[in-house]
Amino acid sequence: MFSRLCQIIFLALISTIISSCGSGGKTNTAVNETPVKVSASQIVFKSANGVQLASLSGGVVDPSIKVLAENVTIDNTSNALKSDNLQDALDKEIAVSLQKTLTGQTWNITNKTSDTTYAGTTGVGVVKFNDDGTMTLLSGGFAAIGKVSGSENSFCNIPQTINYELISNDIVYVSASVKSRTDSNTYTEDTVLKIASRTKDKIVVTGTGGCGNLGFERISVLTPQNDSTTVNKRISKAMSHI
């Protein structure tokens, strides 16, 4: 009788343990369940002083919670970011490397300047930043570097070779060998390009050198061409490294 009672108690205990394991603790999130998104203002940063809040009004902070960057939403009302989530912003707008983005691609140029040198057909242009540290002005004008393609009807000297050096993620040094349209002599012209803004789909640069009204800053806006031979290429060699 005692042995039978022990068996019953043992089976009851086993049943209770199995039931507890199946129902206790946190439940798993369904595979097709929409992920929880949080505001960027609720992101927790880790520092030497421990966990700190970027900004949070009320609520209890759980430092063990981890949220994918793609699930962090961005409030675009108070900034110039185009992205809807943190991952896109990091990939396309915030962490853009000029070396990786600019080099090896062909870009359309739109010039923003009152300099009449870059009116008409030279108001737009096409340039390719080659992997070897040279650029090719394929057509039109590039106001920020003060150059006009040799095929254009212009008084500006004809570019023979244009070299560029990425000094930093914000500065590009441009040195060109140009041929005079009047005496056929060859001269050297240089320009410092300042990167006003950069994303993977638009780079805004300014410069004052080269042909045209000197001493006045000119703006050129670069947008990438959808060219399968150049898109996604990465630099293999260059004049300098960022």
Side-chain angles (χ1 to χ4, degrees):
M1 180 67 180
F2 180 76
S3 177
R4 178 63 178 170
L5 181 60
C6 288
Q7 288 180 354
I8 293 173
I9 294 174
F10 177 75
L11 291 174
L13 289 172
I14 294 297
S15 177
T16 301
I17 292 172
I18 294 175
S19 176
S20 298
C21 291
S23 60
K26 297 182 179 179
T27 57
N28 293 329
T29 303
V31 175
N32 59 351
E33 184 177 334
T34 303
V36 175
K37 295 190 176 185
V38 300
S39 171
S41 64
Q42 294 176 269
I43 298 302
V44 177
F45 294 94
K46 187 175 183 180
S47 70
N49 298 323
V51 176
Q52 295 181 341
L53 283 179
S55 173
L56 182 62
S57 56
V60 178
V61 178
D62 184 353
S64 66
I65 295 177
K66 291 180 171 40
V67 181
L68 289 173
E70 63 186 19
N71 288 332
V72 179
T73 59
I74 295 176
D75 181 2
N76 291 332
T77 59
S78 58
N79 60 60
L81 294 176
K82 297 179 181 179
S83 301
D84 294 325
N85 61 69
L86 183 57
Q87 190 63 63
D88 282 347
L90 289 172
D91 292 342
K92 300 176 182 178
E93 301 186 67
I94 298 175
V96 173
S97 166
L98 191 64
Q99 180 178 350
K100 293 180 179 179
T101 304
L102 187 72
T103 308
Q105 289 206 43
T106 302
W107 299 78
N108 293 319
I109 307 167
T110 302
N111 298 307
K112 304 290 185 180
T113 176
S114 60
D115 190 338
T116 56
T117 305
Y118 300 95
T121 55
T122 54
V124 294
V126 176
V127 64
K128 181 178 180 182
F129 287 81
N130 304 308
D131 290 342
D132 61 358
T134 65
M135 74 171 76
T136 305
L137 186 54
L138 300 172
S139 65
F142 194 165
I145 67 170
K147 298 290 179 289
V148 174
S149 170
S151 61
E152 300 294 330
N153 182 18
S154 172
F155 68 90
C156 293
N157 295 332
I158 302 172
Q160 302 298 294
T161 58
I162 307 176
N163 298 307
Y164 69 94
E165 182 179 353
L166 305 177
I167 303 299
S168 71
N169 218 27
D170 299 301
I171 297 292
V172 180
Y173 172 65
V174 179
S175 178
S177 173
V178 297
K179 182 179 180 180
S180 171
R181 292 180 188 263
T182 57
D183 57 20
S184 296
N185 288 330
T186 301
Y187 302 92
T188 300
E189 298 177 348
D190 59 3
T191 306
V192 175
L193 282 182
K194 299 176 183 178
I195 311 302
S197 67
R198 59 186 182 278
T199 66
K200 286 189 175 181
D201 57 6
K202 185 171 72 173
I203 298 177
V204 180
V205 297
T206 66
T208 59
C211 184
N213 295 330
L214 300 180
F216 294 92
E217 204 160 26
R218 298 182 289 266
I219 299 173
S220 294
V221 180
L222 308 178
T223 53
Q225 285 192 347
N226 293 323
D227 185 346
S228 60
T229 62
T230 59
V231 172
N232 294 327
K233 287 185 64 179
R234 293 296 179 259
I235 187 169
S236 58
K237 54 182 177 178
M239 296 176 65
S240 69
H241 299 281
I242 294 176

